[in-house]
Amino acid sequence: MSDYNAIVIGAGCGGLTAGALLAHQGRKVLVIEQGERVGGCCSTFEHKGYKIDLGASIIEDPDVIDWAFQRMGTTFKKEVDLIPVDPAFSAILNDGTKITYPISLEETADAIRAIAPEDVKGWEKYSKKMAGFLDAALKGFFVTPASNLGEVVRLFAKTPSLLKYNSMFFSSYEGVIRKYFKNERIIESLSFHSFYAGLPPALLPGHFAMIPYSEHAGIYYSKGGMIGIPRGLQKCGERKGMKVRLKSPVKKILIEKGRAMGVMLEDGTEITSDLVISNINSKKMYLDLVGEEHIPWMARKGLKSYTYSMATPMLYLCLNYTPPLTDHHTLMTVPMGKMDDYWENFYKKGIFPAEQFGILSWTTKSDPSLAPKGHHVIAVTLAPGPYKLQGTSWDREKPALIENIIKFLSKKYLPGLEKHVVHADLSTPVDFEKRLRSPEGAIYALRQDLPHSLMFRPSARSRFIKGLYLVGASTHPGGGVPTVTASGMIAADLIEKYER
Ligand SMILES: Cc1cc2nc3c(=O)[nH]c(=O)nc-3n(C[C@H](O)[C@H](O)[C@H](O)COP(=O)(O)OP(=O)(O)OC[C@H]3O[C@@H](n4cnc5c(N)ncnc54)[C@H](O)[C@@H]3O)c2cc1C
């Protein structure tokens, strides 16, 4: 008799969704987390009265997360105090122009008209196309397994309307955006979203060009910080007996005769279970926790060939003034071509300049209770950060980078900032790796291009270890809070199908 029916390694949103759903299937579930709190990349920590989000700062596509809660007899809105974010974002362009994108499509058309009347038609065509694609993607692509050719064929058979959009899968983000928009300032304002999926516009597959549209379907922040979302999932699981054990790193997955039998923690404790669900980086999980000796050589070669996704350094700022911003999200953008140049000439060469582009997430705009009265928090998502810096290290550069980035932000985006920083910290790719054990600080686990998608991404049901299932960013459908929640539903469905 095993100690548990299912052990989930990692309390990220994917792991908690799977754990909670399995508990609702009547299974005895243990979620084991190495960190001191739940949520992984979607979490919130405290610093002297300030609540700061570690990574994720909003969610799009709330319906997907709602489906997970509905399966547990409740709703997303009942379990998590959600704050609607509107406008979706503002973009401050490199030349200083500001464009604000309200949630309303019509108001967005007006905002585009004020800058580029020639692109209003393009916006209307783009939003119509993306509305259809998003609907098909949510119902089909997101929540259907895609581990092998058969499953991919079934995915498209279940949602044939997806086929109408297949040219986007073979185009680039840049190609799709340029098809609809001509004005370089509008194009720039829609460029940074390509890093929401982890690659620059020229390299990211075109279907991700739906991201700027999908924000108009509604985006939300969680009151009290983004940790509210994983906590909501945790609560639902705990109602059905799911246990969550923190500060307990898993060292090994126990394998006997090709079957996962439980886990061994770093302190040597062994816990047995009928099933193991991994929510951690799948390349690391297979190569380190399972061990190469249990993996067929072809699969080993395949696993080693996976590229980790990019890392994103975050600058956390606690302030004693109201920053001169208007919205929850302000994108600091550069022209689209410059993002591709940055990737080739800075990121790939290990250079991280203080002159930055990225997102200013002014979370206290949506929820003032995150900071003492009159104080504010901004989490700055910076440009992609190379894991290794050329000729130096992140630890060595950190103090100077904090100072120089604050100076840069003060000068270009946030006048007065320098005088009002009560506390500043930079989470580098190396810090993310230490904090979350995500190799190289990868924010979406594995790259999100075609060779890492669908049946090429590690399979939700392990192909070579029985009783081992995968959830989270490194399996289909990939990174992002709604998407990893979808992966939790996929794993729970597969387990219900194969493990009764
Ligand atoms: C900086 C940043 C900004 C982002 N912004 C957004 C956003 O605004 N909106 C959005 O939707 N998405 C955003 N994302 C992406 C999104 O947050 C992630 O894709 C998603 O939360 C990942 O969930 P996951 O289930 O894959 O697990 P993760 O969040 O990766 O969690 C995995 C968990 O496993 C634990 N773990 C690792 N190794 C072990 C071990 N050996 N033993 C036990 N536990 C272990 C880790 O501590 C962690 O808690 C962002 C990500 C980052 C990093």
Side-chain angles (χ1 to χ4, degrees):
M1 224 353 222
S2 306
D3 299 322
Y4 288 88
N5 298 130
I7 286 180
V8 182
I9 308 172
C13 290
L16 288 168
T17 305
L21 289 170
L22 293 177
H24 279 255
Q25 287 176 6
R27 296 174 203 262
K28 188 178 171 195
V29 178
L30 174 66
V31 179
I32 305 180
E33 165 60 42
Q34 61 85 29
E36 55 194 35
R37 63 184 76 79
V38 296
C41 302
C42 179
S43 194
T44 310
F45 63 95
E46 293 208 32
H47 175 83
K48 297 185 177 167
Y50 299 87
K51 289 186 181 149
I52 305 165
D53 294 319
L54 187 75
S57 52
I58 49 103
I59 56 113
E60 300 173 3
D61 310 318
D63 288 355
V64 177
I65 305 177
D66 193 41
W67 295 335
F69 282 105
Q70 282 181 29
R71 286 169 174 222
M72 297 184 272
T74 180
T75 65
F76 192 11
K77 285 193 176 155
K78 263 193 217 154
E79 301 298 333
V80 182
D81 198 348
L82 293 173
I83 302 171
V85 173
D86 191 2
F89 65 94
S90 279
I92 300 181
L93 310 186
N94 207 33
D95 68 4
T97 310
K98 183 172 171 183
I99 308 179
T100 297
Y101 282 77
I103 294 290
S104 148
L105 295 176
E106 294 73 27
E107 286 174 31
T108 298
D110 292 341
I112 290 177
R113 187 174 293 110
I115 295 199
E118 70 276 21
D119 272 346
V120 172
K121 277 253 153 345
W123 167 253
E124 285 163 1
K125 277 192 187 152
Y126 163 83
S127 33
K128 194 165 168 218
K129 172 109 177 181
M130 295 303 154
F133 178 55
L134 184 64
D135 186 55
L138 292 181
K139 289 184 184 137
F141 186 82
F142 273 29
V143 287
T144 313
S147 303
N148 51 49
L149 191 58
E151 285 183 355
V152 172
V153 170
R154 274 196 291 280
L155 186 159
F156 282 97
K158 183 176 152 194
T159 334
S161 52
L162 266 179
L163 289 170
K164 274 201 302 201
Y165 306 95
N166 66 2
S167 64
M168 288 208 296
F169 289 91
F170 301 102
S171 172
S172 67
Y173 183 97
E174 181 160 358
V176 173
I177 294 291
R178 286 197 181 279
K179 181 174 165 200
Y180 292 99
F181 302 97
K182 300 291 166 248
N183 183 290
E184 285 301 328
R185 287 194 289 175
I186 300 299
I187 291 170
E188 177 179 336
S189 69
L190 300 172
S191 296
F192 188 78
H193 293 84
S194 90
F195 283 135
Y196 286 21
L199 281 168
L203 299 181
L204 188 68
H207 61 280
F208 286 109
M210 78 166 171
I211 297 174
Y213 168 78
S214 68
E215 301 211 313
H216 295 269
I219 58 174
Y220 293 87
Y221 185 69
S222 153
K223 190 164 168 54
M226 291 299 282
I227 197 169
I229 297 171
R231 280 198 178 135
L233 292 163
Q234 178 183 0
K235 258 190 308 178
C236 284
E238 284 175 345
R239 273 181 217 139
K240 291 286 178 184
M242 179 181 91
K243 299 263 179 281
V244 177
R245 186 165 164 173
L246 300 174
K247 298 188 208 164
S248 306
V250 171
K251 187 174 180 195
K252 279 281 172 199
I253 296 177
L254 305 172
I255 312 282
E256 243 179 72
K257 295 187 187 143
R259 186 167 185 99
M261 305 295 288
V263 300
M264 183 175 78
L265 305 184
E266 273 183 7
D267 67 8
T269 310
E270 290 193 0
I271 311 173
T272 58
S273 66
D274 306 330
L275 301 170
V276 173
I277 295 94
S278 168
N279 182 210
I280 70 171
N281 187 291
S282 49
K283 179 170 176 178
K284 185 178 162 72
M285 182 275 291
Y286 274 123
L287 297 177
D288 295 353
L289 274 64
V290 166
E292 294 193 25
E293 65 279 17
H294 296 293
I295 305 171
W297 76 268
M298 268 296 274
R300 221 156 47 215
K301 241 176 121 159
L303 283 165
K304 286 183 181 171
S305 74
Y306 284 124
T307 307
Y308 294 126
S309 83
M310 65 175 219
T312 291
M314 294 286 296
L315 177 66
Y316 309 118
L317 298 172
C318 303
L319 311 174
N320 64 5
Y321 85 142
T322 304
L325 292 170
T326 49
D327 306 308
H328 184 101
H329 263 184
T330 301
L331 309 188
M332 307 175 284
T333 63
V334 291
M336 193 177 251
K338 272 205 163 181
M339 289 175 62
D340 299 319
D341 290 348
Y342 174 82
W343 188 262
E344 293 302 323
N345 297 318
F346 289 84
Y347 178 77
K348 280 169 76 172
K349 293 185 178 160
I351 302 167
F352 193 71
E355 302 219 339
Q356 280 290 319
F357 56 103
I359 314 170
L360 299 166
S361 297
W362 179 22
T363 51
T364 37
K365 158 83 178 166
S366 296
D367 180 4
S369 76
L370 298 172
K373 205 168 180 338
H375 288 227
H376 285 273
V377 176
I378 298 180
V380 191
T381 307
L382 298 166
Y387 178 58
K388 287 203 171 120
L389 288 181
Q390 198 185 96
T392 182
S393 71
W394 281 104
D395 285 349
R396 197 176 318 145
E397 294 305 311
K398 198 180 206 171
L401 268 173
I402 294 177
E403 199 182 316
N404 292 335
I405 297 171
I406 290 174
K407 269 192 196 142
F408 170 74
L409 294 175
S410 280
K411 208 165 135 201
K412 189 151 181 186
Y413 298 101
L414 297 166
L417 175 72
E418 265 178 297
K419 289 193 220 100
H420 294 283
V421 178
V422 178
H423 171 75
D425 194 12
L426 180 68
S427 188
T428 70
V430 173
D431 295 324
F432 270 110
E433 184 176 57
K434 284 186 204 145
R435 234 168 165 162
L436 297 176
R437 299 192 177 210
S438 50
E440 303 191 0
I443 69 167
Y444 300 121
L446 304 175
R447 190 169 271 197
Q448 307 210 101
D449 53 6
L450 284 184
H452 293 79
S453 296
L454 293 164
M455 62 208 179
F456 305 119
R457 214 164 176 81
S459 166
R461 179 172 174 240
S462 175
R463 292 204 184 104
F464 33 88
I465 306 289
K466 292 192 198 87
L468 176 62
Y469 288 79
L470 274 61
V471 291
S474 50
T475 184
H476 172 76
V481 176
T483 21
V484 302
T485 309
S487 79
M489 289 187 264
I490 291 175
D493 287 347
L494 289 171
I495 289 171
E496 186 68 347
K497 181 170 169 190
Y498 291 107
E499 311 286 348
R500 265 290 160 204

